[in-house]
């Protein structure tokens, strides 16, 4: 579900970004393709006077489009209203022209209506096909889906899209219930903040685990670890002389790099993959607007990393518990 929501959001943002290109394409398509097809369909078309005038107006409107001046604002609202009027004329039993008997005309005009909306009503069209405001009434379902998304490294990069879905919740409000505006707006802000905070917390947690494992690997190259191995080998010889079971062997430095298969992943590899996926999610969007509030996903991970570093530094410096005045700075290697 996370990938589906991300695909909807990504396509919507791309269309808004490149709307001039989309507008130019459909404007040229209306004049150079749809107009020719419609003219071919209505040629020698038996239609009464009123219906014939409407069909002729469609041809004149599409044929008169100026595709060289893309800055001009085209409005096809009158054309769409005339198409609705033509359908009303041809759907009465006394009409000489029955639209159900001319399927090609209906298909062509519906295609023209859609293409015209891509030129002058793209915002309204996107709102109709990409609006996710109904999910406002299924918050438990969204939270469960978000939690499952965080648990897998292949879906975690799409976790921020749940915060983006919260920006659609305000579309459920209308003028008939103005008292719901503030309530739904606050709920959407709280939920978006929760999703971003949870994603940042998971990224911080896996980063801490990965750093601890890297630190443990570094400690295995210290001379003290070599002394530990020598002491363990001596103890095992003494146990063998006494016919006792030897202690389990201590993993040697570099043992984590030995793999029988390339696809085999160690725990450190899994933590690294999850850390990267969560950081990738927070780096997807520079900012996110929910009910006139701007969220910066990167600031969440920065805040949690500041807390992590402050806690680790405090644990390293203050070695005497709550006695902050009699502390002793330990050696970094210890």
């Amino acid at each position: 579900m996370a990938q589906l929501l991300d695909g909807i959001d990504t396509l919507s943002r791309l269309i808004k970004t490149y709307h001039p290109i989309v507008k130019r394409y459909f404007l040229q398509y209306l004049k150079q393709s749809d107009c020719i097809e419609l003219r071919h369909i209505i040629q020698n078309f038996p239609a009464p006077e009123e219906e014939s005038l409407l069909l002729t107006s469609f041809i004149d409107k599409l044929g008169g489009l100026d595709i060289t001046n893309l800055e001009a604002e085209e409005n096809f609202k009158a054309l769409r209203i005339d198409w609705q009027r033509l359908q009303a004329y041809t759907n009465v039993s006394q009409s000489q022209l029955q639209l159900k008997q001319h399927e090609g005309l209906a298909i062509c005009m519906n295609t023209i209506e859609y293409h015209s909306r891509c030129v002058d009503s793209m915002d309204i069209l996107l709102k109709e096909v990409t609006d996710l405001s109904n999910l406002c009434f299924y918050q438990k379902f969204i939270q469960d889906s978000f939690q499952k998304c965080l648990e897998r490294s292949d879906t975690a990069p799409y976790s921020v899209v749940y915060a983006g879905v919260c920006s659609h919740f305000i579309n459920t409000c209308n003028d008939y219930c103005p008292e719901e505006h503030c309530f739904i707006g606050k709920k959407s802000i709280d939920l978006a903040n929760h999703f971003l905070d949870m994603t940042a917390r998971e990224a911080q947690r896996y980063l801490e685990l990965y750093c601890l494992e890297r630190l443990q690997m570094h400690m295995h190259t210290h001379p003290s670890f070599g002394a530990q191995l020598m002491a363990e080998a001596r103890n095992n010889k003494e146990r063998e002389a006494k016919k006792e079971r030897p202690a389990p062997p201590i993993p040697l430095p570099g043992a984590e790099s030995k793999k029988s298969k390339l696809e085999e992943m160690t725990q450190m590899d899994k933590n690294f993959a999850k850390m990267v996926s969560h950081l990738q999610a927070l780096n997807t969007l520079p900012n996110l607007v929910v009910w006139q509030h701007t969220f910066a996903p990167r600031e969440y991970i920065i805040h949690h990393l500041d807390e992590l570093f402050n806690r680790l530094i405090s644990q390293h410096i203050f070695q005497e518990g709550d006695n902050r005045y009699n502390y002793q700075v330990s050696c970094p290697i210890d």
Side-chain angles (χ1 to χ4, degrees):
M1 180 177 176
Q3 295 173 336
L4 176 62
L5 295 176
D6 180 74
I8 294 174
D9 183 67
T10 303
L11 288 175
S12 177
R13 284 188 284 106
L14 287 175
I15 291 177
K16 290 179 181 179
T17 303
Y18 299 102
H19 178 246
I21 299 176
V22 176
K23 176 182 176 181
R24 179 178 60 185
Y25 171 80
F26 282 106
L27 197 63
Q28 294 175 350
Y29 200 99
L30 282 169
K31 182 173 183 178
Q32 300 175 357
S33 179
D34 289 335
C35 181
I36 297 174
E37 182 180 358
L38 181 61
R39 183 182 289 110
H40 177 73
I41 291 175
I42 67 175
Q43 192 175 14
N44 300 324
F45 197 78
E49 183 179 359
E50 293 185 1
E51 287 84 343
S52 179
L53 288 175
L54 290 176
L55 293 173
T56 304
S57 67
F58 297 156
I59 297 295
D60 295 339
K61 175 64 177 178
L62 298 178
L65 293 176
D66 185 10
I67 59 176
T68 59
N69 185 14
L70 298 177
E71 299 297 331
E73 293 293 334
E74 295 289 346
N75 190 346
F76 294 94
K77 187 176 180 180
L79 184 144
R80 292 191 290 268
I81 293 177
D82 287 341
W83 166 230
Q84 298 295 329
R85 185 182 294 114
L86 179 62
Q87 294 180 73
Y89 288 162
T90 57
N91 282 327
V92 296
S93 58
Q94 294 83 6
S95 176
Q96 299 180 9
L97 175 63
Q98 293 292 325
L99 190 60
K100 61 183 179 181
Q101 298 176 358
H102 303 279
E103 184 180 350
L105 175 63
I107 294 175
C108 181
M109 286 305 304
N110 285 331
T111 304
I112 291 174
E113 180 184 9
Y114 172 74
H115 291 169
S116 66
R117 296 185 66 186
C118 292
V119 175
D120 64 350
S121 305
M122 181 60 74
D123 293 338
I124 300 176
L125 185 62
L126 282 178
K127 186 177 179 180
E128 291 178 358
V129 299
T130 65
D131 184 48
L132 302 170
S133 59
N134 288 336
L135 294 177
C136 175
F137 307 105
Y138 304 94
Q139 294 188 14
K140 183 65 169 59
F141 170 75
I142 294 179
Q143 292 177 357
D144 293 342
S145 178
F146 171 75
Q147 195 61 38
K148 293 178 182 178
C149 177
L150 285 182
E151 294 173 357
R152 297 178 53 183
S153 58
D154 57 337
T155 58
Y158 307 102
S159 57
V160 174
V161 73
Y162 288 92
V165 170
C166 298
S167 62
H168 294 250
F169 291 172
I170 202 65
N171 294 334
T172 59
C173 300
N174 53 62
D175 297 336
Y176 298 101
C177 297
E179 66 276 4
E180 294 181 351
H181 197 82
C182 291
F183 175 76
I184 295 179
K186 291 179 181 179
K187 290 292 289 185
S188 61
I189 291 175
D190 294 340
L191 200 58
N193 179 70
H194 170 71
F195 289 150
L196 293 174
D197 187 67
M198 286 297 297
T199 304
R201 284 181 183 274
E202 288 296 304
Q204 176 256 323
R205 184 169 70 89
Y206 286 113
L207 177 62
E208 183 179 4
L209 292 175
Y210 179 74
C211 291
L212 290 176
E213 291 174 350
R214 295 289 298 184
L215 178 61
Q216 188 68 23
M217 291 175 58
H218 175 72
M219 294 297 295
H220 285 177
T221 61
H222 193 262
S224 60
F225 184 75
Q228 182 181 354
L229 290 176
M230 296 174 63
E232 188 65 26
R234 179 179 179 181
N235 292 335
N236 286 336
K237 289 184 178 180
E238 293 178 356
R239 291 191 183 96
E240 290 177 359
K242 297 179 182 179
K243 297 183 178 181
E244 296 179 358
R245 179 178 296 181
I250 301 176
L252 297 176
E256 69 281 346
S257 300
K258 297 180 180 179
K259 298 180 181 179
S260 57
K261 296 180 180 180
L262 183 62
E263 296 81 8
E264 184 180 346
M265 297 184 65
T266 62
Q267 187 60 39
M268 186 171 65
D269 294 335
K270 295 179 181 178
N271 291 337
F272 179 76
K274 291 183 178 180
M275 177 192 68
V276 171
S277 61
H278 286 85
L279 292 176
Q280 181 181 352
L282 294 170
N283 199 42
T284 303
L285 296 175
N287 55 67
L288 182 67
V289 180
V290 179
W291 196 47
Q292 300 178 354
H293 288 70
T294 302
F295 292 89
R298 299 176 187 175
E299 295 299 324
Y300 281 81
I301 186 59
I302 293 175
H303 171 70
H304 284 287
L305 289 180
D306 286 342
E307 290 184 348
L308 173 63
F309 292 152
N310 291 336
R311 175 166 56 84
L312 294 178
I313 292 174
S314 299
Q315 291 177 358
H316 180 71
I317 293 179
F318 301 112
Q319 300 292 330
E320 300 297 332
D322 295 334
N323 190 356
R324 299 187 179 183
Y325 299 99
N326 297 324
Y327 64 87
Q328 179 180 2
V329 179
S330 60
C331 179
I333 200 60
D334 296 334

